[in-house]
Amino acid sequence: EDQTETKPDAVVYSREAMFQDRWILFKEHFAAKSGVDTTPGMGMNKAIFDMARMLGSRKTYRNGHLQILGEFMRLMCKNTSDRLLRLNGIKVVRAILYLQPDESSPAEQAAEFARLLANEPPLAADASSSRYPHFVSLQSRLAKPGGGD
């Protein structure tokens, strides 16, 4: 008598399914190595921080009157703009208010960005803060059409 065991058939994956499975693993690995937060909604945080520092600073090339920020805000307001672009744009503008790039040190900016991510109010929003007048001025400027202009 033949005592051969029959093994269950192995699941056969298409190349596409194998690619999709491996792609997810690759993205997770690459994100971890690159310092990207893979928590839903958090992947753009580093870019938002960098853009806020650049667009919110008058020291940025050709942004002495925040004219690049104004262009960015006009772009966000167009109905033809991508919804994700507008969402991230709003996050950038909010980050500018927190960071106040021309008024704070890199360490203060990092601390304020952590407050933003924790959904805590910016320290400059406190009327007793030395940066409060600049915060109010920047907030008023950003609330007007054209933003930076």
Side-chain angles (χ1 to χ4, degrees):
E1 284 178 36
D2 190 10
Q3 298 282 329
T4 313
E5 290 184 45
T6 57
K7 295 182 181 178
D9 291 333
V11 177
V12 178
Y13 290 104
S14 69
R15 285 185 178 184
E16 183 178 322
M18 286 175 37
F19 175 81
Q20 289 296 332
D21 287 345
R22 299 294 184 237
W23 180 249
I24 292 168
L25 293 174
F26 171 76
K27 287 191 323 185
E28 291 172 0
H29 173 75
F30 186 75
K33 292 288 184 187
S34 303
V36 174
D37 188 348
T38 57
T39 307
M42 298 296 181
M44 292 292 294
N45 286 348
K46 186 169 177 2
I48 288 167
F49 179 79
D50 291 341
M51 288 182 68
R53 290 179 69 198
M54 179 186 65
L55 294 174
S57 176
R58 288 179 174 88
K59 297 173 187 170
T60 299
Y61 180 69
R62 293 190 174 213
N63 200 35
H65 299 287
L66 299 179
Q67 62 271 28
I68 296 173
L69 175 59
E71 278 296 315
F72 178 75
M73 292 183 69
R74 278 190 288 282
L75 175 67
M76 285 190 324
C77 293
K78 288 186 177 182
N79 287 334
T80 57
S81 293
D82 179 65
R83 291 176 61 193
L84 185 59
L85 171 73
R86 285 188 278 178
L87 173 64
N88 284 322
I90 290 169
K91 290 179 179 181
V92 168
V93 172
R94 184 171 176 236
I96 290 169
L97 287 170
Y98 274 75
L99 301 181
Q100 297 188 34
D102 290 337
E103 304 295 320
S104 57
S105 70
E108 290 169 325
Q109 291 172 13
E112 283 296 306
F113 196 70
R115 293 181 65 79
L116 178 141
L117 295 177
N119 212 23
E120 297 173 4
L123 292 175
D126 183 353
S128 64
S129 169
S130 63
R131 292 196 323 240
Y132 181 74
H134 178 71
F135 175 79
V136 171
S137 172
L138 183 58
Q139 192 174 34
S140 297
R141 186 172 192 160
L142 292 175
K144 294 177 184 171
D149 297 336

